[in-house]
Amino acid sequence: METEAEAEEPPRHRRTFTFPSALTVLAVVTIAVWLLAFLIPPGQYDRDAAGVPVQGTYHRVLAGESFVDRLEDLFLSPVNGLYGLRDARTGLVGPDLAGELYGAAGVFLFVLAIGAFITVVFATGALDRGIARLAHRLRERGALLIAGIMVVFSVLGTVEGFAEETLGFYGLIVPLMLALGYDRMVAVGTIILGAGIGVLCSTVNPFATGVASSAADISLGDGIVLRFVMWVVLTAVTVAYVIRYARRVRRDPARSLTGFLPGDREHATEAPDAEPELTGLHRAVLTTMVLVFAFMIFSVVPWSSALTGDADATPYGFELDWSFPQLAALFICAAVLVGLVARMGEQRLSSTVVQGAADFISPALVIVLARGVTVIMNNSKITDTVLHSIEGVVRGTSSGVFAVIVFVVNLPLAFLIPSTSGHATLAMPILAPLADFAGVSRAVVVTAWQASSGWMNLWVPTTAVVMGGVALAKVGYDKYLRFAWPLLAVLFALICGFVALGAAFT
């Protein structure tokens, strides 16, 4: 018989494990690398005039740092990650030294600038209204609707890293898919896989390709041809996969992986709402946004190399060869321009720009912390030692095999650090020189790395895009994995093929 004390005892809530944020993971990595630096022997390669390590010249050296110096490196690692300067004579990085900027200040400001621009665009309501209008116009052509939304999301993903922003579209797309006779999984696949495949095949996505290219010391436009072809093929495969499932469910609802919640089937008989109005202001904002991203692509692409296939071709006179400082200024000006076009007013525009920069401070800080880790490795002289150990693993492999290895070895890192910008900043200082040893273009390594990060972020439970998406759609995570794993296997094979061919022909 239950006692009175037992009856009054409040229920115990089981604590659920929450994976730490990218900032916390990188803080732990910073401390771990600092400790490992006491155990890993220091060493370095001889370098050519361009500062590139020369294969076969690795040798042991003295670190030359006391315990106090190393403690200061740990303490100042975030500061050095932002604006540390690298001394040309000693190679050490510090905020009070003289030399070239080693920190990620340029990338940091660029992330804040594009955050301000994207937030201003969303504040106008133009992008939301444009996608809603597309959905309404294609509401009676289900397959075309799915393809249209996925391609739009994929384009946004490949040019500006459109991912977390998709969480705002579940309220629109889930009821729409149910009204067309599909299930909730079709909506999840349309949104998560549509935007995710674009990010996986980023062409000029500043948070993936941009940060990785900066860390690899190459142009944002290097390798864009391979990435574009890869984007076209993988997007087509992903769209076809979702449409195939959608048609199967529509023909036979019993084959739905999710089933139907009470009221879901009634959506199919509901009359569609009125078509969302796209005002002249909305059209002007959308046109401005397209032109800004088109100009960004134009400004960073090495056109002479892309059109001739010769990496050493003389640049054309119209090439701008812009990098992060110019792009940061571009998006600040573009944010103001969109605000003026939308007639937001000085007060609202100012507050929206500030809010946009604030919303993107997290990925910007992730970049700084990751660069701080590389500063610790640089000052303790263990970066070349790590590079030398990996060189021994890939020595003798063909260029295609090397590119596939780069893709595979980055998968566990992508799980631990779902932030593409943080992952890139952490990994590229090792991977880029390794590409030189293997005789592979650094652009192929960037492509292999971002494909690894993008593939993992299609399903890992450490990303808010996936977990938040399935929660908003009321779809179980296990059911989403069951839906996605055949596509993930196909994408894995295609990625390996693309990076191998890219390495072989560069």
Side-chain angles (χ1 to χ4, degrees), residues 77-226:
S77 60
V79 176
N80 283 325
L82 180 61
Y83 65 90
L85 301 174
R86 186 169 188 172
D87 186 273
R89 183 180 60 84
T90 64
L92 296 177
V93 175
D96 54 355
L97 299 177
E100 293 186 350
L101 179 67
Y102 187 86
V107 184
F108 179 87
L109 291 174
F110 173 61
V111 169
L112 299 185
I114 198 171
F117 172 73
I118 292 172
T119 303
V120 170
V121 170
F122 269 101
T124 66
L127 189 58
D128 304 56
R129 188 70 61 87
I131 294 174
R133 186 179 177 87
L134 172 68
H136 187 273
R137 287 197 167 186
L138 299 178
R139 66 193 183 281
E140 295 179 356
R141 290 175 282 182
L144 191 57
L145 172 64
I146 293 170
I149 294 176
M150 291 186 72
V151 169
V152 169
F153 281 1
S154 183
V155 169
L156 292 171
T158 195
V159 299
E160 60 101 340
F162 190 79
E164 286 85 357
E165 296 87 347
T166 60
L167 296 176
F169 289 94
Y170 282 89
L172 165 69
I173 294 177
V174 170
L176 184 61
M177 293 303 173
L178 292 174
L180 293 172
Y182 303 128
D183 66 359
R184 292 172 178 267
M185 188 64 77
V186 175
V188 170
T190 299
I191 298 173
I192 294 179
L193 298 180
I197 201 66
V199 175
L200 187 157
C201 304
S202 296
T203 49
V204 290
N205 171 12
F207 304 106
T209 315
V211 175
S213 297
S214 173
D217 198 26
I218 61 174
S219 166
L220 177 60
D222 286 343
I224 194 172
V225 174
L226 171 63

Side-chain angles (χ1 to χ4, degrees), residues 28 64 112 117 163 193 277-278 309 338 346 461:
V28 173
L112 299 185
F117 172 73
L193 298 180
E277 180 184 0
L278 199 60
V338 169
E346 186 273 332

